[in-house]
Amino acid sequence: MGSENPQEPFSSSSEDRPPVCVYDLFFDLPHPTATTEKTRIIDPPVTLSPILSEEMYKPDNISRLTRFAFPEYDEVTQTQQLASEQEGLLTSQGRTFGANLSKYDIYSVDFVVQHHTFSILLSDGRTRVHGHVRRYLPQHSDSSARTDVGRRRPRAMILITRAIGGERFYTSLLKTVEAFMMKARVGSLTKNRDPVRNFLHAAFNNHANMVTRYTELRRHGVTLNFTQAPKDHFEIMTACDIAKAVMEQNEDVFRINVDKLEFGPGGGKKGRDFEIEDDRIQFYLPYSLQPGYECIRQHSIPEDKYSPITPLLRYIGPSNFLRVLSALLCERRIILISNSITRLSMCVKAASAALSQGLLMWEHALIPVVPPHLIPSLVTNVPYLVGVLSPFVKRLRELEGLADVLCVNVDKNELKTFNMANPRTTVPDLLGKYSLEIYILHHHASNIVFIRGYPRCNFLAVSVILIFTARLLHNITSVIRHMLLPANEEEKCWQNTVACSVGIMLLYAAAYVSPPKAISVW
């Protein structure tokens, strides 16, 4: 899987692909119906991928980004309705009411923050970029200093990056960008500078300096490959202990600090010669942005390996989760359905991450939230894992040729097949006849630890014991059931059923009549 020295980068890394940075482009896009608003683009201090910048600046690609940023907007069915709403409604006195407003203009109390991701393959056929989207409400045109006045249409911030994973990191990054925007609107920041640009450039430069520092550390013999650390320093330590020791000594390699952006070097006012120590923002980097990650073969790492699987497991439970995992292993067509964009994106990424835990890659189409204009493309014979918003489920039923599809409603925890001939054969049950026993026993197995410091080895050991115990319990239950309820002997079955019922009632009566005895601890 790797070379003899994983810390030395491959020769193809520097030639075939540019180094990964915190972000490659930042877009601030208006709503598709807001034709008068402008798009804002912030470039990084250094352009590391020229083909990405050239392609993303094209108007066609900007409109494509807008469709992915607002996947609930359907420009085909909403054009006529939007045109009639923008004309304004007449009241009984003949005056206009609600002019230039539509159903997309909302109050701040009704606004729900949405965060989701998407991926786009560039025209060169090998550069894949990932977009992290966050919605926010801009300032009102009539009250620039207030954030809670009037109805307005949301905008979308998009961070385009070539780094895989890191959903939590980019969520925090976009939250901070929104906070700087809000402070700039209400006048908390100095007006003669651009706080968003300064913040993004500072994060970019801090990460670049960190990579440079790590290169110098590696020249002096410091390695982050904990399994091959020098044995004279760590003779009796495990890999996890070595990792903790190295991370404590080089903690700055795993995080970036952005200083003096809110108040400035002089506390925000002229004449001050002191600094505010708390004017610092810290971000812990995802694995794909940590120094040394470029030394690993990229094609051997699943894209969603570090994405959490908890969201999907929480919404559909372990039983349906195993059904979805079975469909993924069989490379079927899977459609997840939800009314929330954020929930849909998290669950689709979690499904892919569940497959990645075994270092398996989903080599087919994966779209966290499918825009309306791409729904007809789901009629295909190749496997895919996509998410569709609930308002567009009716279109799936109207598609001709859509077959062999497993539909998972995340909101209702429902699994349905769409035009699937034999669901039991197409999507087999991974646990089969032992599913009930495993469901009963898994509550007791969650806290068992056999091998401390090695969670995956412990998970493997607990899983083997769990399946063995479930099989034994199933066999014992089958023997007892055949003893009490023998096949083709209806009379004996009735007799044993009555006897068991009477016995249970007698035990309950004895427990109810006999008072509990006090137990002395002395």
Side-chain angles (χ1 to χ4, degrees), residues 127-142:
T127 304
R128 181 177 296 274
V129 298
H130 310 278
H132 299 265
V133 185
R134 180 178 175 84
R135 305 275 191 88
Y136 76 98
L137 279 182
Q139 62 185 7
H140 197 273
S141 57
D142 296 335

Side-chain angles (χ1 to χ4, degrees), residues 295-340:
C295 305
I296 306 175
R297 295 183 186 273
Q298 298 299 312
H299 66 273
S300 64
I301 302 177
E303 196 168 283
D304 298 320
K305 183 178 184 297
Y306 305 111
S307 299
I309 65 174
T310 310
L312 184 62
L313 191 60
R314 183 190 302 121
Y315 287 119
I316 67 176
S319 179
N320 290 340
F321 180 84
L322 290 174
R323 282 283 185 175
V324 174
L325 182 60
S326 175
L328 289 170
L329 293 172
C330 296
E331 295 184 329
R332 304 301 179 187
R333 289 181 281 276
I334 306 171
I335 298 178
L336 272 64
I337 301 171
S338 178
N339 198 34
S340 171

Side-chain angles (χ1 to χ4, degrees), residues 91-156:
T91 62
S92 57
Q93 287 80 14
R95 292 176 296 181
T96 60
F97 175 75
N100 296 326
L101 294 178
S102 69
K103 66 178 182 179
Y104 301 105
D105 295 274
I106 56 178
Y107 292 102
S108 60
V109 294
D110 301 324
F111 177 70
V112 178
V113 177
Q114 301 282 358
H115 183 91
H116 65 281
T117 61
F118 63 90
S119 300
I120 294 178
L121 187 65
L122 298 185
S123 59
D124 61 351
R126 61 178 183 175
T127 304
R128 181 177 296 274
V129 298
H130 310 278
H132 299 265
V133 185
R134 180 178 175 84
R135 305 275 191 88
Y136 76 98
L137 279 182
Q139 62 185 7
H140 197 273
S141 57
D142 296 335
S143 179
S144 59
R146 294 284 298 274
T147 60
D148 58 344
V149 174
R151 294 169 56 188
R152 59 264 196 204
R153 299 172 197 180
R155 294 176 66 94

Side-chain angles (χ1 to χ4, degrees), residues 26-28 40 42 134 136 157-159 170-185 189 195-197 199-200 281 283:
F26 173 82
F27 289 88
D28 186 4
R40 185 187 182 191
I42 298 179
R134 180 178 175 84
Y136 76 98
M157 298 179 293
I158 305 179
L159 269 176
Y170 286 105
T171 300
S172 303
L173 209 65
L174 290 174
K175 281 183 180 179
T176 309
V177 170
E178 184 180 1
F180 276 115
M181 285 184 177
M182 185 178 299
K183 285 182 175 293
R185 276 180 291 182
L189 297 174
V196 176
R197 181 184 295 274
F199 167 70
L200 291 176
I281 307 174
F283 296 97

